[in-house]
Amino acid sequence: MRKQNRNRLVGLLGICALSACQTSFLSSPAYAADKAEYLFGFIDKTGKVVVAPEYEEARPFSEGLALVQKKVDGNSLYGYIDHEGKTGVEFKYAEAGPFSEGLAPVRVPDSGTLVDELGSAAAGKWGFIDKTGKFVIAPRFEEARSFSDGLAAVEEENRYGYVDKTGNFVIK
């Protein structure tokens, strides 16, 4: 009886693992070659290409958007696309992280139009955007990570701590 229960548990875990793999496969980027360059796109569970391979880098979908990188005016910039490959958030960030709890950490390039819009103090700094691309927490951090349980790890003036979704330090 004990061995039978153990076999059922192992079988159930196998089904769960397979299910998890299929789910992540659906939302994970597929690697494809295009014009002698290795570019990323997305496929569905049948292998059909649903987003053409045109990105230098692609991360799994998170909260309905995937973080991707492509060349824009000669610069490799990050932005976010939806499941159909339409731009959800413009390509204008030097670095970025996935959306979590409605916000994503993004780093402003050292120069360019975004710096012109935000001011030179924002150059090279991290902040947090919402799904429309609007800064909810202004770029002021040397480093920033995604939110988890309402807090995000950040570095400011060579000190590390955790901020809430308004940018206030909760743990200094």
Side-chain angles (χ1 to χ4, degrees), residues 36-162:
E37 293 182 61
Y38 287 99
L39 298 173
F40 291 92
F42 291 86
I43 60 173
D44 66 14
K45 66 181 179 181
T46 68
K48 178 184 170 203
V49 174
V50 291
V51 177
E54 61 182 87
Y55 303 103
E56 295 176 327
E57 185 178 340
R59 306 251 178 97
F61 282 88
S62 175
E63 298 187 7
L65 295 172
L67 173 63
V68 292
Q69 179 187 41
K70 73 176 186 176
K71 289 260 191 231
V72 177
D73 297 328
N75 298 310
S76 293
L77 297 174
Y78 287 92
Y80 298 84
I81 60 169
D82 66 16
H83 286 278
E84 296 175 352
K86 295 178 184 161
T87 300
V89 177
E90 287 183 56
F91 290 85
K92 55 185 177 180
Y93 307 104
E95 292 181 70
F99 275 93
S100 177
E101 300 184 20
L103 300 177
V106 295
R107 187 172 72 80
V108 175
D110 293 328
S111 62
T113 56
L114 189 55
V115 174
D116 294 343
E117 289 173 28
L118 299 171
S120 61
K125 299 291 185 176
W126 287 83
F128 292 87
I129 60 168
D130 63 16
K131 291 182 184 179
T132 67
K134 178 184 172 198
F135 275 98
V136 174
I137 301 173
R140 68 175 206 255
F141 305 108
E142 282 83 37
E143 196 64 52
R145 300 286 180 235
S146 295
F147 276 88
S148 177
D149 294 325
L151 299 176
V154 295
E155 176 188 357
E156 185 176 46
E157 297 177 4
N158 295 319
R159 299 188 71 167
Y160 296 89
Y162 290 85

